Amino acid sequence: MAVPKRPPLPLILLANDLLDGDVVFRTASGGWTRDPADALIARDEATADRLESEAAATMRNNEVVDAYVVDVSVGADGAPTPNHFRERFKTLGPSNRPDLGKQAEFARRSPHVPL
């Protein structure tokens, strides 16, 4: 069986919370956050391996669902932004109401989140 190809570095691990379905990001401390700015960014293969391992383990333990790594661009402020529009949408709120959801909340705290 072929092993799926990993996206290029840098990467973050995202998933959906098992209870409310909201998108969450793996942190350096091994927890989950709803703020992508707090996500652990894998800049080397060892950290990317760790994130993939944690994705499998946390899904097996029913902590999250649909956990996978995505490639990101890192802004001048150090915050990751997914390169693919599908994951970029997941980091935001409703696309028809930029004044609501994560995008509004995070824009107030840190203006790096693209609207």
Side-chain angles (χ1 to χ4, degrees):
M1 181 175 189
V3 176
K5 188 174 178 182
R6 180 189 297 163
L9 297 171
L11 303 170
I12 61 172
L13 173 60
L14 64 79
N16 292 91
D17 183 274
L18 192 59
L19 296 178
D20 64 16
D22 200 3
V23 176
V24 291
F25 306 90
R26 193 69 166 176
T27 66
S29 64
W32 295 97
T33 179
R34 287 175 164 70
D35 187 348
D38 295 334
L40 169 63
I41 302 171
R43 299 173 193 272
D44 56 57
E45 294 297 327
T47 307
D49 290 344
R50 172 187 157 194
L51 288 178
E52 286 187 329
S53 229
E54 291 177 0
T58 55
M59 286 194 297
R60 209 173 25 253
N61 293 335
N62 292 323
E63 295 176 36
V64 294
V65 293
D66 197 25
Y68 60 100
V69 292
V70 297
D71 57 320
V72 294
S73 296
V74 180
D77 60 356
T81 300
N83 290 332
H84 193 277
F85 71 90
R86 177 176 177 251
E87 282 75 28
R88 210 168 27 245
F89 280 157
K90 290 177 119 181
T91 66
L92 304 174
S95 61
N96 62 343
R97 292 287 309 267
D99 57 322
L100 299 176
K102 293 179 179 181
Q103 57 202 348
E105 178 183 344
F106 298 145
R108 282 190 293 271
R109 289 188 301 167
S110 174
H112 74 272
V113 176
L115 298 177

